[in-house]
Amino acid sequence: MSFRSLIQDMKNEFGSISRHTLRSRSHRSAGNASRAAAAEPSEAMDQSCWSQLPPELLREVLVRIEASESWWPARKDVVSCAGVCRTWRGIMKEAVRVPEVSGKLTFPISLKQPGPRDGTLKCFIRRNRTTQTYYLYIGLTEALADDGKFLLAARKCRKPTCTDYLISLDKVDMSKGSSTYIGKLRSNFLGTKFTVYDAHPPYDGAVVSKSRSARVIGFNQVFPRIPAGNYPVSHISYELNVLGSRGPRRMNCVMDSIPASAVEEGGKAPTQTEFPLGSLDSFPSIPFFRSKSARIDTASQSSTQKEDRLVLKNKSPRWHEQLQCWCLNFRGRVTVASVKNFQLVASDDNGSGSQENDKVILQFGKIGKDLFTMDYRYPISAFQAFAICLSSFDTKIACE
């Protein structure tokens, strides 16, 4: 049997194991569900021919699978491998590199990790006006928008003095009590100032906001009950511009969790490696396992408390005399003129050179009635980029 045939046979095997496990779970009673979920994957593996595979060969096969399935939807095989058992999970977590290096999104924690240094991750956002929900997808092709791979969802919640956008890993359950809740965006009454809160510590030593409301992650579980806080990771402000007398919107983003040096050569941004206990560590469609620890990349621990924070500003558009409008070069990724369109670059306040300032870190723009592209890169994450883009949707009484 060739090595290629071996890998294909392995994919079919763990695919049948995964389907069998999910079907069996659906017929279990609520009292036995947790015990069945823990036992069945290992029982299925014990009956499989792969249980006798030498560890070195197993590792080589799984690494080959990770390398061959480079993009979604084929990338789901990598997630399925990680959900078979603890051994496979450990191997796949070692094989899968962070987006900063690989430029790939695999596990949900990838959405909290900085994007690629070389190039951008091209995503798009669908808006549902009726339900006031927003859905983030990553593109599967070079088209501006396709079926996409679902990443994040957000729901708008109006309050008397502010507006919250609750961000979740789940399309349906976007409540703060859900185990898939990962953060929120909060605006002031005028819609000119926003704060992005992470439900989990973005770096070692992160301080919880004093105004946070207590809640419990994974409240359906008896143990553990882990309170999650509001950790400020970004502050977004829009300059007052009554009646549009000073041109397009002007926005400013202070990244509390990212040092200004991150945009320089060799700079580092904090990188979360796992969700805290009680949060999902697999995509909701593959609910095999949960994290057992909350580790933060020690290479960049709490450096933002000692260094200057990264400041992003929107790139100033130029006035086009012939078209009689403000223009920005979105390189074909934006097709509809809108006040919401923007490009974020490092501010001069960071002390970086002009060449660095020309590098677009986040780009957002309209391509349809309720369809928008979102492209981001290092040092911000998909979660941070999505939250910043949500601020552009909010009504701004004094900015336009």
Side-chain angles (χ1 to χ4, degrees):
M1 178 183 290
S2 66
F3 196 78
R4 183 182 296 273
S5 301
L6 184 67
I7 292 178
Q8 185 59 47
D9 188 30
M10 191 176 203
K11 290 180 182 178
N12 295 335
E13 182 73 19
F14 69 67
S16 64
I17 291 174
S18 302
R19 290 190 295 272
H20 171 74
T21 301
L22 291 175
R23 283 198 301 269
S24 300
R25 284 180 185 175
S26 62
H27 292 88
R28 297 282 180 176
S29 63
N32 297 328
S34 59
R35 291 191 295 273
E40 286 182 3
S42 59
E43 291 174 0
M45 281 301 297
D46 290 340
Q47 301 171 6
S48 170
C49 61
W50 301 106
S51 61
Q52 305 301 323
L53 201 66
E56 296 79 8
L57 182 56
L58 174 62
R59 179 179 296 274
E60 180 65 20
V61 172
L62 293 179
V63 169
R64 291 284 187 94
I65 291 176
E66 193 281 330
S68 63
E69 311 298 3
S70 59
W71 203 246
W72 294 92
R75 195 76 177 160
K76 66 182 179 182
D77 290 341
V78 178
V79 180
S80 297
C81 281
V84 171
C85 64
R86 291 178 183 272
T87 301
W88 288 35
R89 178 191 180 190
I91 295 173
M92 295 310 297
K93 290 183 71 174
E94 291 178 5
V96 173
R97 296 178 296 173
V98 295
E100 174 187 349
V101 179
S102 66
K104 302 173 186 177
L105 298 177
T106 305
F107 302 115
I109 193 61
S110 304
L111 304 176
K112 291 287 192 74
Q113 297 173 339
R117 287 183 180 268
D118 301 323
T120 60
L121 283 173
K122 297 178 180 179
C123 309
F124 61 92
I125 298 173
R126 294 186 186 276
R127 174 178 60 182
N128 188 321
R129 294 173 182 264
T130 304
T131 59
Q132 294 190 321
T133 51
Y134 306 83
Y135 304 95
L136 176 66
Y137 300 83
I138 188 167
L140 304 180
T141 65
E142 290 298 320
L144 292 179
D146 47 36
D147 292 338
K149 167 72 180 89
F150 170 76
L151 300 178
L152 292 171
R155 177 167 57 89
K156 186 176 183 179
C157 302
R158 293 184 180 276
K159 297 183 177 181
T161 59
C162 65
T163 300
D164 281 353
Y165 292 82
L166 306 181
I167 303 175
S168 172
L169 293 169
D170 194 281
K171 268 186 176 182
V172 179
D173 190 355
M174 288 174 265
S175 64
K176 291 185 68 175
S178 169
S179 62
T180 56
Y181 169 82
I182 61 171
K184 70 179 180 182
L185 172 75
R186 169 166 289 183
S187 76
N188 64 356
F189 177 74
L190 294 177
T192 57
K193 295 184 183 298
F194 298 80
T195 303
V196 180
Y197 293 101
D198 195 329
H200 314 112
Y203 54 86
D204 191 22
V207 179
V208 181
S209 172
K210 294 181 180 179
S211 61
R212 75 180 181 91
S213 56
R215 78 176 181 87
V216 175
I217 287 184
F219 64 95
N220 289 327
Q221 299 176 330
V222 177
F223 295 104
R225 298 178 67 85
I226 306 294
N230 293 329
Y231 296 89
V233 294
S234 178
H235 287 82
I236 308 162
S237 60
Y238 290 81
E239 290 188 16
L240 296 177
N241 189 17
V242 181
L243 302 178
S245 58
R246 291 191 293 175
R249 289 178 179 175
R250 298 180 184 179
M251 62 186 299
N252 195 67
C253 300
V254 179
M255 310 302 296
D256 297 341
S257 60
I258 304 176
S261 60
V263 295
E264 300 173 359
E265 188 70 25
K268 293 289 293 181
T271 302
Q272 298 184 44
T273 57
E274 285 189 3
F275 284 118
L277 183 63
S279 298
L280 291 178
D281 201 22
S282 65
F283 279 114
S285 58
I286 313 287
F288 286 122
F289 49 79
R290 297 181 185 273
S291 172
K292 282 209 165 186
S293 63
R295 298 198 304 264
I296 303 295
D297 184 7
T298 56
S300 52
Q301 288 182 352
S302 64
S303 59
T304 52
Q305 292 183 333
K306 301 177 182 179
E307 298 182 35
D308 293 333
R309 296 172 294 178
L310 176 65
V311 179
L312 304 177
K313 67 174 183 179
N314 65 309
K315 194 172 184 179
S316 300
R318 61 180 178 83
W319 178 257
H320 198 291
E321 289 293 342
Q322 293 181 338
L323 298 178
Q324 289 294 295
C325 65
W326 297 96
C327 296
L328 272 174
N329 183 10
F330 288 94
R331 302 187 183 280
R333 292 284 295 165
V334 177
T335 59
V336 180
S338 172
V339 69
K340 297 178 176 63
N341 301 347
F342 67 80
Q343 291 179 329
L344 289 185
V345 297
S347 172
D348 296 331
D349 297 339
N350 295 313
S352 56
S354 58
Q355 185 176 359
E356 289 293 334
N357 286 353
D358 290 337
K359 184 181 294 183
V360 176
I361 295 174
L362 172 60
Q363 175 175 284
F364 174 77
K366 191 172 185 178
I367 58 174
K369 182 179 179 181
D370 292 301
L371 200 57
F372 304 80
T373 56
M374 186 197 88
D375 304 339
Y376 76 98
R377 62 179 302 149
Y378 193 87
I380 66 173
S381 65
F383 164 71
Q384 293 167 337
F386 185 43
I388 293 172
C389 291
L390 289 174
S391 72
S392 189
F393 285 111
D394 201 59
T395 303
K396 295 163 182 58
I397 300 174
C399 294
E400 43 207 48

